[in-house]
Amino acid sequence: MTSKKFPNIVPEFLSYVLYETQSSRESIEEPSTPNQLLLAEELVTELKSSGLQDAHIGKGGVVYGTLPATPGCEDCPGLGLIAHMDTSPDAPAVNIKPQILVYEGKDVLLNPEKEIYFKEESFPEIKKYLNQEIIFTDGTTLLGADDKAGIAAITACMDYLKTHPEIPHAKICVAFTPDEEIAKGTVNFDIEHFGAQYAYTFDGGEIGTLETENFNAATAFVQIAGVVVHPGLSKGKMVNSLKLAAKLISRLPADQAPETTEGYEGFIHPNKVEGTVASTTVRILIRDHDKAKFEAKKELLKKLVEEIQESEPRAKVSLTIKDSYENMRPYLDQAPKVMEIVRQAYREAGIEPIEEPIRGGTDGARLSTRGLPCPNVFTGGMNYHSVYECIPVKSLEAAADVALSLVRLSSQIKSLK
């Protein structure tokens, strides 16, 4: 299990996942949950021990640290390595119990007491990792590989550089962000303070994947105010906001749902409903890689909301749509050298890049739109935001290898043009 190059990567990863760092969409604090700061403090300590003496927690809980350039590389563009500390609020994440099991080509028993299995039929991707050690949970919580695997890959790389000072490199800028899962990871990210001219988020999926484009994203909130009357006396009077919410959800196109789409296909996804007869709120995610189709989905939702209002004039139905992030592809197209560098880093690590769109978003998308080109590198995990989340040990080590390749190449980059 121990990697010769990165002997501490698995123990460090296992220690990170024990921190309860779920972010919260409902919170107005920065970061959204205080436990993220506990991990941030630990990471500052680790970065300082690896030679990043300026490591500190900045505004909003963002961790920054810099490894100065080696002699002769001071004029090379600064390289950024980024991962996020929070885990998804979409699955249980308290009392995580990671376990390392060898996948032997059959269903994996995760929890004998509760008879929870990781089933090949449901997750056929696992077949690519026959006879490998894989880190699972006990099937009751997510693992946190999204994105503590990214953190582990970066810290393992920094550990390696400490014991191999002979490796030349440009200034290496490290950052760990909070609240990425709730689209707030870069709200307080200070690009100028960070100091990199180009960067890579380590927040991707299976080994070899390289992501240069992501969804355009928005979140819609439908507010429905009904009319409350005692149910025994309500004929012709009551307007049940819950039923109107159900009607709206039933009219969303079945072929534009997460469970029926893949690749470049976008979706309209109701992911939270809260309410009573009197008042109901429906939260709906809108996603598409194509900007025109993205806007068309917004217009469709507006039309459906108007139809619900027209069907029941006594109710009050309103819609608010807030954009979350953009597709980073147009911005990365303006920085082709950044992509050339990462493709070379994959190949120097013995991995052929598999370029594919992200069916989601990353901090890198938001940073790219703000002028810091930032593609997304794999971390090796699977089934994120799920109690069936897992990560092959070799894939995690491979992510650290790519980080190290990027560091080595940074000494050869004189210009990003």
Side-chain angles (χ1 to χ4, degrees):
M1 186 180 76
T2 301
S3 166
K4 291 182 179 180
K5 186 180 290 186
F6 308 111
N8 296 323
I9 190 168
V10 171
E12 286 182 348
F13 171 71
L14 294 177
S15 72
Y16 299 153
V17 302
L18 297 182
Y19 283 85
E20 297 171 9
T21 59
Q22 276 185 309
S23 46
S24 170
R25 296 185 179 95
E26 289 71 32
S27 173
I28 60 172
E29 301 298 320
E30 294 180 343
S32 65
T33 52
N35 283 356
Q36 294 182 69
L37 292 174
L38 298 178
L39 177 56
E41 291 168 357
E42 171 61 26
L43 292 172
V44 166
T45 299
E46 289 189 19
L47 290 178
K48 286 183 176 180
S49 71
S50 294
L52 287 73
Q53 294 303 318
D54 67 342
H56 65 284
I57 301 173
K59 182 181 178 182
V62 181
V63 173
Y64 301 97
T66 307
L67 189 65
T70 53
C73 297
E74 294 88 350
D75 293 332
C76 296
L79 164 67
L81 304 175
I82 303 169
H84 67 86
M85 298 178 288
D86 64 317
T87 53
S88 171
D90 295 335
V94 177
N95 195 25
I96 294 172
K97 297 176 181 176
Q99 56 181 326
I100 301 175
L101 303 172
V102 175
Y103 168 61
E104 298 177 334
K106 57 186 178 181
D107 292 348
V108 180
L109 179 59
L110 301 180
N111 192 319
E113 180 181 349
K114 297 185 177 181
E115 296 186 352
I116 299 174
Y117 284 84
F118 185 103
K119 296 186 178 180
E120 281 186 329
E121 182 180 1
S122 300
F123 308 103
E125 298 85 0
I126 196 70
K127 295 179 181 179
K128 292 181 284 188
Y129 305 98
L130 183 65
N131 296 324
Q132 289 194 29
E133 291 181 317
I134 300 179
I135 306 173
F136 296 93
T137 70
D138 67 349
T140 64
T141 69
L142 52 71
L143 176 61
D146 180 13
D147 183 32
K148 289 165 183 174
I151 295 174
I154 294 171
T155 57
C157 178
M158 296 301 103
D159 286 344
Y160 188 87
L161 293 176
K162 179 182 179 180
T163 57
H164 293 79
E166 74 280 4
I167 296 176
H169 57 77
K171 177 175 67 173
I172 308 301
C173 307
V174 172
F176 301 126
T177 61
D179 293 338
E180 189 272 350
E181 297 291 0
I182 58 173
K184 295 182 179 179
T186 62
V187 169
N188 293 299
F189 197 102
D190 189 333
I191 292 177
E192 183 177 358
H193 176 71
F194 182 48
Q197 281 69 61
Y198 66 113
Y200 302 93
T201 47
F202 280 70
D203 190 21
E206 289 189 73
I207 183 171
T209 54
L210 173 61
E211 297 159 332
T212 61
E213 49 191 324
N214 58 281
F215 279 140
N216 295 290
T219 301
F221 294 91
V222 181
Q223 304 277 354
I224 306 173
V227 177
V228 178
V229 180
H230 189 288
L233 305 169
S234 63
K235 184 175 182 179
K237 301 175 183 178
M238 178 184 286
V239 178
N240 191 329
S241 73
L242 288 166
K243 289 186 176 181
L244 292 177
K247 181 186 289 187
L248 171 65
I249 293 171
S250 72
R251 291 186 179 181
L252 296 176
D255 62 350
Q256 294 188 39
E259 59 268 33
T260 60
T261 54
E262 62 183 353
Y264 285 97
E265 298 169 329
F267 55 74
I268 305 175
H269 174 44
N271 75 336
K272 186 174 184 179
V273 179
E274 285 187 326
T276 62
V277 172
S279 177
T280 299
T281 301
V282 184
R283 185 174 66 202
I284 301 174
L285 307 183
I286 305 171
R287 303 286 190 267
D288 208 294
H289 290 90
D290 183 275
K291 191 73 175 217
K293 293 179 180 178
F294 175 61
E295 295 299 330
K297 286 178 170 58
K298 293 182 185 178
E299 292 303 315
L300 173 59
L301 185 57
K302 290 177 184 177
K303 180 182 178 182
L304 292 176
V305 168
E306 289 171 0
E307 290 176 355
I308 295 296
Q309 178 66 83
E310 291 170 1
S311 72
E312 182 46 85
R314 294 174 296 166
K316 292 183 179 180
V317 187
S318 63
L319 171 66
T320 302
I321 299 177
K322 182 179 180 181
D323 287 340
S324 303
Y325 49 84
E326 295 180 62
N327 189 345
M328 63 180 157
R329 181 60 182 268
Y331 300 92
L332 291 179
D333 284 345
Q334 299 172 29
K337 182 71 173 180
V338 174
M339 289 307 303
E340 292 174 13
I341 294 167
V342 71
R343 292 185 188 110
Q344 185 177 349
Y346 272 53
R347 291 175 179 130
E348 290 196 0
I351 300 165
E352 187 61 28
I354 305 166
E355 298 186 36
E356 59 184 26
I358 310 172
R359 289 184 59 78
T362 70
D363 284 336
R366 300 174 188 89
L367 293 173
S368 294
T369 63
R370 289 174 53 191
L372 179 66
C374 195
N376 195 39
V377 175
F378 73 89
T379 56
M382 297 178 282
N383 308 322
Y384 290 160
H385 299 198
S386 160
V387 297
Y388 298 105
E389 185 182 3
C390 62
I391 183 168
V393 170
K394 287 184 178 179
S395 298
L396 175 59
E397 294 169 352
D401 253 332
V402 171
L404 186 57
S405 293
L406 286 168
V407 168
R408 293 179 188 275
L409 287 172
S410 71
S411 67
Q412 304 171 24
I413 309 303
K414 304 305 178 184
S415 170
L416 296 175
K417 296 181 179 179

